[in-house]
Amino acid sequence: KPITHADYSSGGPGNKGIIKPDVSAPGTRIFSTRSVRNSHQHHGCGEDGISHITVKEGTSQATPNVACAAALISQYFEEGRWNSQSILIDGATTRVLLINSCVQPHDSIRPDILFGYGVIDLSTLLPLNETEKKFGLQMTKIGLNSITENGHKVASLNVNSKKVKLQITMSYLDSLLSASSPILLVHDLDLVVVSPSGKIFQRLLQRRR
């Protein structure tokens, strides 16, 4: 069935017009194990005639999907499967990788207020099948707190194929503001993509926290 937006799922935009949600995940008709209240006996096979499988829906079911995807991404880098070096990625990097893995249900190139950047698809980010790896992943070496006020950083990317989509994403941790603050962002960073010919791709810029 085609991916649709659930009626119970709230849409964006968020407070002060910030784009939300970031990502989407399955949350409708999720089959899982049922806990038995006040029971200390093993259960799960249903041999007693009681179903130990339950079907739930809601953001409480979609959230574990996203959390598990984040854990798998973290494990992949920590085990040194990317460039044969162990890397402990931080929250901002995990977030940017989750966003970069997303696939829009309607082939849009822009985030929207229903699906955000799209549905998480780790097969677009991690080589789950090493023999069919048809994509590459590059991360800049820019660390936290390395961009000074009114400063900038430049990173170069070589693209060797025109047959695959190029996705460039930036994520950073901004200071938390109160709900009554009229300021949208404390640290207002922009991502500017420039081709070798000097063309600037303005449509890649998306304002968000």
Side-chain angles (χ1 to χ4, degrees):
K1 294 183 178 180
I3 297 175
T4 58
H5 182 262
D7 296 336
Y8 56 77
S9 180
S10 63
N15 189 29
K16 301 181 180 66
I18 294 177
I19 297 174
K20 90 166 199 183
D22 276 334
V23 298
S24 300
T28 301
R29 290 190 58 78
I30 302 299
F31 286 75
S32 185
T33 54
R34 180 195 300 274
S35 61
V36 178
R37 188 175 184 180
N38 298 326
S39 174
H40 299 284
Q41 298 181 2
H42 296 292
H43 65 283
C45 296
E47 296 177 352
D48 53 4
I50 301 175
S51 175
H52 298 294
I53 299 296
T54 185
V55 181
K56 297 287 186 178
E57 64 182 21
T59 54
S60 59
Q61 307 304 306
T63 300
N65 272 284
V66 179
C68 182
L72 289 173
I73 292 174
S74 178
Q75 179 184 9
Y76 175 81
F77 286 92
E78 187 174 350
E79 291 182 350
R81 299 190 182 188
W82 184 72
N83 284 359
S84 301
Q85 52 183 323
S86 178
I87 302 175
L88 296 177
I89 58 177
D90 55 22
T93 305
T94 303
R95 177 171 173 263
V96 81
L97 291 171
L98 285 171
I99 290 174
N100 220 323
S101 76
C102 287
V103 176
Q104 277 284 8
H106 309 298
D107 294 327
S108 172
I109 62 172
R110 294 178 178 270
D112 58 40
I113 61 174
L114 295 182
F115 294 98
Y117 280 90
V119 180
I120 294 175
D121 183 358
L122 291 187
S123 68
T124 67
L125 178 68
L126 304 181
L128 303 180
N129 189 337
E130 293 286 352
T131 61
E132 297 183 3
K133 184 177 179 182
K134 299 179 180 179
F135 55 88
L137 173 65
Q138 178 175 329
M139 294 191 295
T140 64
K141 296 181 180 180
I142 299 175
L144 293 176
N145 303 319
S146 64
I147 300 179
T148 59
E149 184 174 356
N150 297 322
H152 68 278
K153 291 289 182 178
V154 177
S156 299
L157 173 67
N158 294 323
V159 181
N160 300 321
S161 174
K162 296 182 180 181
K163 298 181 180 180
V164 294
K165 294 181 179 180
L166 174 63
Q167 298 181 171
I168 303 175
T169 311
M170 177 181 67
S171 176
Y172 60 95
L173 299 177
D174 195 33
S175 302
L176 184 63
L177 298 172
S178 66
S180 60
S181 173
I183 302 175
L184 179 63
L185 296 170
V186 175
H187 303 95
D188 189 359
L189 302 184
D190 288 324
L191 171 64
V192 180
V193 180
V194 185
S195 70
S197 63
K199 181 179 178 180
I200 299 177
F201 295 87
Q202 295 284 3
R203 68 181 183 179
L204 295 179
L205 303 181
Q206 297 293 340
R207 184 79 62 183
R208 57 182 306 106
R209 183 182 286 290

